[in-house]
Amino acid sequence: MIKIYTHPDPGFTQSNLLKKKLYGALVKMICCYLFVLLPVLASAQTVITGSVKDKDGPIIGATISEKGVKNTTSTDLGGKFKITLKGSSNILIISYIGYKTQEVTASGTINVTLQEDLNKLNEVVVVGYGSVKKSDLTGSVSSVKADDLNLGGTTSNLGQAIQGKAAGVQVQQSSFAPGGTISITIRGGNSINTSNSPLYVVDGFITDNGNQINPNDIDDIQILKDASATAIYGSRGGNGVVLITTKKGKIGKVAVDADVSNGYQYLTYHPSLLNGQQYTDIQNATAIEDGKPAIFPSNFPLANTNWLKAATQNATVQNRNLSISSADKDSKIYVSGNYLKQLGVLKNTSLERYTARIGAEKTLNENLKLGANFYGASSNSTLQSYSGDITAPLFSLLTAQPNIPVYNADGSYYVYQGKNNALASLLEPTNKSGSKLINGNVSLDYTLFKGLTYHLGAGSEYSQVTAGQYTPRTLVAGKANGGIASEQMSTAFRWLVENYLTYKYNFKDHAFTLLVGNSNQRDVSELLNAGAKGFPTDVFLYYNLSAGSTAYSNNGYSAYGSSKSESSLTDYYGRLNYAYKDKILATFTLRDDASSKFGSNFRHGIFPSGALAYKLEDEDFIKNLNTFSSLKLRVSYGVTGNDRINNYQYLSTFGNYSTVLSPGGALQVGIEPSSLSNPNLKWESTAQLDAGLDMGFADGRINATIDVYRKKTSDLLINIPIGQWWGFSTQLVNGGAIENRGIELGINTNNIRSNSFSWNSSFNISYNKQKALDLGGIKTISSNTANPSGTVSGREFSRLEVGQELGMLYGYVYAGVLKTGETYSPQPNSKAGDPKYVDVNGDGVITPADQKYLGNSNPHYSMGFGNDFHYKGFDLNIFIQGAFGYKLFNMNRLVLESTTSTDALNRFVAGKNENTDIPREGYFLSTYGGYVNSRFVENASYARLKSVSLGYSFPSSLFQHIKIVQGIRLYAEAQNLVTVTGYKGTDPEVNVHTGNTSGGLDFNSFPAFRTFAFGIKVSVH
């Protein structure tokens, strides 16, 4: 049966009823879908915008992450960001290196101001084959950031950039010549005959040229000092390790940064010299006193020449640096170029250098990361001899008689008594040096599974150094030999492959990090040299040796020669880091090195270390003090090595030998043994104990580190005398020991921090005392000066014995001048005006037995004190550096006092000037004592205003309409502005004797100078 229903409204039909039901159903369906989908749609389409800044303005490259999901972006050039939410937490995490991380609720527009994180313990620092949080370090490591480096002016290498910046690191600029020698020693020297320089590792590549890196490319330096930190480098870690990380791109748009500066250098060494008349009078008076006729007659054409002034100049330095960088969340790239040109304050000296660097990183996925670094450098130098002897041009300039002219009337050099014109000795010779360096390394990091990462690093380095010299006919030697030319070229090639696995595992309160790896290295070096004389013209210089008529040995090289040397090193290493509740930390390291440099009996060396650390700040008894924001106690012990010896030292090597076998016969060429073999030769080993305390105060605004250490280096590589029946006088063996003890203190403070003004300070000071414990049976090791004049031989000035330090100065004790009528029994044959010496041993006569130690030439204390001020757009940096507790032998003063210095005006003259301590005719003619005496051994302690820089950064608001310009900074800088010292020589840092046992000699060193530089930095994005 079918029932039919009717509507009470006669106008309502069945069709209308059906439409109404369909409409209702559709509305309900839409509502259901909206109820389900709207939250999803809302979540997927929620876009959050905002900005991130600090007290100074927008932060570029700050990271914005959505909590709980993989969703990240970064701020642009204006500090602004946009992020589309993907999760449901509605929480954003804002972070940037050096600032405290913030979490904010995601809604609408967000404006965040980050606060600087004064607690540096959260920083990640690079260690050997890895990185750790600074708070988790168990070893002694000093960090130097890019902003803390001494840059600008004449800074051309790493040593200049870090001088005074790290406790326990002694940097000495032994020559102020352009590109001059810099020595870096960490916690005192360990060796007598091998290098005391640290190992350099740049972006994971071990290099012998790390000190020559462009300082502007450096992002971070970690200096590993104790055995816990350096043992991972085994046989090469004994002298400390310098880890350099170069710059990479920062997140944001492509950034172009240019830094252009010009500087001016002014001589600071101004010895008081006699004028022509004074010199003539003294020379004549001395001759007459000796019963001889006057040297210069009354009609002598008197001149008045200041030779040093004629040879020096106010020199310029140009520095140009350009870098291009960019990065996103997966990629980083940095490209830089640098040009440096420095003219020396001594004429005919200069340095011109070009460098280029490319650094890149690419994260292909969450498991694979690639890296590459390439560096190239080319430099050319005009050199002079800066050796501590009378052949150096500076000797001629300082001692040249001022009563003769520089030039003849026709413009040619004035020559007196057949000797070289002093200025010609500087300007006429050709002495050029060029170097080329290229290295590159690539790396791969692959996560095999959670916690386990494999690293592969491979790289190579090639360096070439060429040098050429030519002595023209305008000089005496050149005229006599028809011109003298020589050239040398050395090359070095290295390849290095590193493989290691890193496994990280956490279990409840325990955290483990295990590292195991292998390293393989090979080095090849070659040397080629040739020399000739008798050229038809001076035009060829040293570029056409075949034009010379005769082969000729010059500059310490044979007339012609060549050599090749190879070595290899294979290593296996491991390290375990353990942490319990992030409170108790332990590090254990073991490395096995095998080197071709040592004999088969001791080719392998094992180098272990261990360290413990205890974070005390969370302990109740420390909390109750309300003093420390952080406190960590460290202790470490380990053994490291030093393999810095020449190749094949354990073998009996052979050299050339030529002789005539019969009268009138031809010269026969052969070979003969040149050294005695020693298959038991092995590494020098340094055992070091270190205890340290890391402290933080005032919520990290004040941080201090104290370290106390003791190093003992055993099995020193030393040449000991042997019986002549072996055919040799000495043999290289392992014998002897040296000890270094010291204490270091470093303090960093944030003194004032406000919206418009900030003031930060850093201070470090270190003390090191060295002692020879054993010299392998040798009683003394002596070093001599060079000849102080053409008629006087060199004398012992430095001596090492058991119980003494390396570089101890040794000589007579000066007691003044013998007066008229005075009788001094220890010098019975001396006459009035002669120097007088102390009878040290009291035997009644002055003999060599009266010599004694006069002081150490290695500073016991070194310090650095820096202050950074920022006020609105202005910045001011003041840095003071110093060294204390050491002496130098001022040989320049010794020579000048009896030749051309105004000190000679106060010399002893019988009956006229007897109240003086300056002898009548110097120190060379006396039959008693010697010229190495306490009068010229001076306290060289100094404090130097190393650098002052003042800059102004224009406010960003000026560039709102020039969007590509991010910033402009103008700056002025002064280097070596003021030096407070009692030392009277060239400079308290100089040292022309570079041997480990014979430092502390100031003789004909390149003169010191101060620099003023002005520059502009422009950042374009």
Side-chain angles (χ1 to χ4, degrees), residues 214 216-218 246-247 257 320-325 333-339 354-359 374-376:
N214 173 19
N216 297 283
D217 289 336
I218 297 174
T246 60
K247 294 177 180 177
D257 296 291
R320 311 286 188 261
N321 201 74
L322 178 67
S323 66
I324 303 173
S325 61
I333 187 167
Y334 175 85
V335 181
S336 75
N338 176 260
Y339 171 73
Y354 300 84
T355 68
R357 175 173 294 280
I358 300 175
F374 300 96
Y375 178 69

Side-chain angles (χ1 to χ4, degrees), residues 922-936:
Y923 306 84
F924 302 149
L925 303 179
S926 174
T927 57
Y928 300 97
Y931 59 79
V932 181
N933 62 66
S934 59
R935 174 169 172 77
F936 303 105

Side-chain angles (χ1 to χ4, degrees), residues 206 236 494-496 519-523 567-570:
I206 297 173
R236 293 172 290 180
R494 166 175 295 175
W495 62 256
L496 174 69
S519 173
N520 290 278
Q521 178 180 315
R522 185 171 180 81
D523 292 284
S567 67
S568 60
L569 184 69
T570 298

Side-chain angles (χ1 to χ4, degrees), residues 715-735:
D715 297 322
L716 293 178
L717 292 162
I718 189 169
N719 287 295
I720 64 169
I722 58 175
Q724 289 289 345
W725 56 82
W726 288 101
F728 307 94
S729 59
T730 62
Q731 182 184 26
L732 185 64
V733 302
N734 293 99

Side-chain angles (χ1 to χ4, degrees), residues 262-276:
N262 288 330
Y264 304 90
Q265 305 160 95
Y266 301 92
L267 194 70
T268 58
Y269 177 55
H270 299 286
S272 181
L273 301 174
L274 296 169
N275 61 34

Side-chain angles (χ1 to χ4, degrees), residues 121 627-631 694-704:
L121 298 178
T627 301
F628 300 97
S629 55
S630 63
L631 182 64
D694 301 329
M695 300 168 286
F697 308 91
D699 195 26
R701 290 185 59 180
I702 302 174
N703 292 283

